[in-house]
Amino acid sequence: QVQFVESGGGLVQPGGSLRLSCTVSGIFDSRIMAWYRQAPGSQRELVAHISALGRTTYYADSVKDRFTISRDNAKNTMYLQMTTLKPEDTAVYYCNYKIRPATWGQGTQVTVAS
């Protein structure tokens, strides 16, 4: 059974940066991977996704030009570099397969506040 372990979240001031990591135990290098987030009182939303070989990426308009998704298939790990963070980026961030998501991990909390 695949497991996703997200890490790297924390409290950061507006304008700051964080780098999230997602380590996958299970199928990784053949799957499109994605980052999602869920803010309090809101539905989970897609933030970004990356193709199996890392050649194609997609970003939600709200994070475009601020976030960068990447992956290291040798390490079964995906990353999300977040810059110029805003209070509205506050959420729990999750990783999963883009197509046919599996059981969700615990996520990592990102809080942007002064």
Side-chain angles (χ1 to χ4, degrees):
Q1 182 176 346
V2 62
Q3 287 188 322
F4 304 101
V5 179
E6 303 91 346
S7 62
L11 172 63
V12 63
Q13 292 186 341
S17 299
L18 282 174
R19 188 194 195 205
L20 306 184
S21 297
C22 164
T23 301
V24 180
S25 59
I27 298 173
F28 181 78
D29 59 3
S30 62
R31 299 293 298 266
I32 300 171
M33 295 298 302
W35 283 101
Y36 302 81
R37 69 185 181 186
Q38 186 168 19
S42 299
Q43 290 189 338
R44 188 174 287 150
E45 63 174 352
L46 175 66
V47 174
H49 62 73
I50 186 167
S51 60
L53 296 181
R55 294 171 180 167
T56 304
T57 57
Y58 161 86
Y59 298 93
D61 287 343
S62 58
V63 306
K64 201 171 294 183
D65 299 325
R66 299 189 299 120
F67 290 10
T68 302
I69 189 171
S70 61
R71 65 191 295 164
D72 185 340
N73 285 353
K75 296 181 179 180
N76 269 33
T77 301
M78 178 177 64
Y79 305 97
L80 186 67
Q81 179 68 50
M82 306 186 295
T83 64
T84 321
L85 282 161
K86 305 175 180 180
E88 51 264 43
D89 295 318
T90 295
V92 179
Y93 285 70
Y94 303 87
C95 61
N96 209 318
Y97 299 136
K98 171 65 170 61
I99 300 172
R100 296 190 304 275
T103 302
W104 297 89
Q106 295 297 310
T108 186
Q109 175 71 48
V110 172
T111 302
V112 184
S114 54

